[in-house]
Amino acid sequence: MAAGSVVLLTRALEALDVGGAADKINLIPQDFFAELFVDIKWKLGVAMSSDTCRSLKYPYVTVALKVADSSGQITNKCFEMTVPQFKNFFRQFKEMAAVLETV
Amino acid sequence: MAAAEQQPPAVDGGKALSALLGGIAQAAYYGKVDITEELLRGQLYPEAAPEEFRALRAKMGGLLQSIASADMDLNQLEAFLTAQTKKQGGITSDQAAVIAKFWKNHRVKIHESLVNQSCWDNVLKNMNWRVDLKSQSRHVDQINTPVAIVEMELGKYGQDSEFFFYCFCCFEKEMTPKQFHSVFYRSLDENFHQLCNRYMMS
């Protein structure tokens, strides 16, 4: 399956509307080629204050992912998460690494 | 003793005020835009004149906003409310007690709502993954290699998400989960934890 059809596949899965996000990953066919992780950067910030809240004091992690499609084209993806979410994110990759080693 | 202005008669003073604070919070912090002043007055202070009620609602809303904006702890709250009971046109000590109880119950949720409201970029809403042993692939060197597929749900608060699927393989030239993990592991030292803890204890 060409990488260009990633968009088509995700749209098709969304249209199926099969309940939770967990179901979607199980529908991905065996020969599906997703974009490959190339690099990751992260940054820890603290939002001290905002126009609606003087004492926000909110720590968050911003992650910048680099992924490559089959033609080698690089895309950047940037998103935010809370510190507990970041720790969970980190733990999931640790589990994934462990599984990949044992398979 | 506070020289409070005449308060509008209420169905049951304490309960009505508590419900009023709840209504204010629903509109300001929990996104319930259909809670109007008229609705609150009819439900909670039906005997009150509209101008009287408007003044009460504005006063309580202002107090809650100050408390939420400073994310007051119990000491700050007590000092703040005591000062309000001594002011001309302030609040009664009964009202102060109701406000204090309300804030104790809602502080965490309201602060969380304020945090979410200040988050304008994409957030990672959910993540799932699975590991395949690829038996067929357009890439010959992928066959019989374990491949991890990650599904990420990204989107802004209160808006629809998009789902993205990314792969990890164990090729040398691509990043493996182990390398990914080690990027964090290298940098996750004591300072990081201390920094997080400092800002999370507030």
Side-chain angles (χ1 to χ4, degrees):
Chain A
M1 192 182 285
S5 61
V6 165
V7 170
L8 292 171
L9 179 67
T10 51
R11 295 262 180 276
L13 289 175
E14 281 162 18
L16 280 176
D17 191 30
V18 282
D23 299 322
K24 288 186 168 62
I25 196 162
N26 294 324
L27 293 176
I28 299 171
Q30 260 285 319
D31 63 347
F32 176 64
F33 179 81
E35 288 171 304
L36 289 165
F37 277 109
V38 171
D39 193 20
I40 179 163
K41 291 180 167 46
W42 61 266
K43 166 177 87 178
L44 171 68
V46 180
M48 294 305 293
S49 195
S50 77
D51 63 323
T52 50
C53 185
R54 197 164 40 85
S55 180
L56 204 53
K57 286 200 218 155
Y58 157 60
Y60 62 94
V61 178
T62 308
V63 168
L65 286 179
K66 258 198 188 137
V67 293
D69 66 15
S70 57
S71 71
Q73 177 158 30
I74 306 276
T75 326
N76 292 305
K77 209 104 215 128
C78 203
F79 51 89
E80 224 177 86
M81 57 188 108
T82 64
V83 170
Q85 285 172 341
F86 177 71
K87 287 180 179 170
N88 178 51
F89 181 72
F90 167 66
R91 186 181 51 79
Q92 302 250 37
F93 281 97
K94 196 169 160 186
E95 277 177 32
M96 220 183 297
V99 171
L100 275 173
E101 306 237 291
T102 59
V103 163
Chain B
M1 196 48 201
E5 68 216 10
Q6 181 173 9
Q7 305 298 335
V11 174
D12 170 345
K15 267 196 195 150
L17 179 59
S18 191
L20 174 61
L21 291 168
I24 292 169
Q26 287 287 333
Y29 306 113
Y30 304 147
K32 299 273 175 14
V33 292
D34 49 357
I35 299 195
T36 61
E37 197 164 283
E38 204 27 58
L39 180 77
L40 289 172
R41 188 182 73 86
Q43 295 274 314
L44 306 171
Y45 295 88
E47 307 295 311
E51 318 82 58
E52 271 183 284
F53 179 74
R54 184 168 306 134
L56 177 69
R57 190 208 185 286
K59 179 154 70 175
M60 291 303 149
L63 289 174
L64 189 57
Q65 193 179 342
S66 296
I67 294 167
S69 185
D71 192 27
M72 289 186 191
D73 60 27
L74 295 182
N75 291 332
Q76 293 168 313
L77 184 70
E78 195 182 317
F80 177 75
L81 289 175
T82 305
Q84 292 296 319
T85 60
K86 294 181 158 65
K87 269 173 64 170
Q88 185 78 2
I91 58 177
T92 66
S93 47
D94 284 345
Q95 288 175 322
V98 171
I99 295 168
K101 187 170 172 200
F102 181 83
W103 180 244
K104 278 177 206 162
N105 290 334
H106 287 258
R107 179 187 178 187
V108 170
K109 220 172 147 199
I110 288 178
H111 189 72
E112 199 180 293
S113 165
L114 285 168
V115 161
N116 290 344
Q117 283 176 33
S118 72
C119 199
W120 309 314
D121 293 323
N122 281 328
V123 294
L124 179 67
K125 294 186 183 179
N126 197 15
M127 188 177 118
N128 292 298
W129 57 273
R130 75 171 200 219
V131 171
D132 289 355
L133 194 60
K134 284 199 172 290
S135 56
Q136 53 171 327
S137 172
R138 56 197 293 278
H139 290 252
V140 169
D141 49 350
Q142 262 193 24
I143 291 177
N144 290 330
T145 329
V147 174
I149 302 179
V150 178
E151 174 198 336
M152 293 191 180
E153 185 184 348
L154 299 179
K156 300 192 171 41
Y157 274 114
Q159 291 180 26
D160 287 342
S161 310
E162 278 187 271
F163 291 86
F164 296 92
F165 301 96
Y166 301 121
C167 253
F168 278 115
C169 304
C170 285
F171 306 150
E172 279 168 18
K173 61 182 189 307
E174 312 294 357
M175 197 179 219
T176 65
K178 203 169 178 189
Q179 289 166 333
F180 194 99
H181 166 75
S182 77
V183 167
F184 298 116
Y185 187 73
R186 256 197 330 259
S187 318
L188 270 179
D189 55 15
E190 270 305 304
N191 290 339
F192 179 88
H193 290 297
Q194 276 173 22
L195 195 65
C196 287
N197 288 336
R198 173 145 67 100
Y199 286 106
M200 273 144 71
M201 314 275 251
S202 59

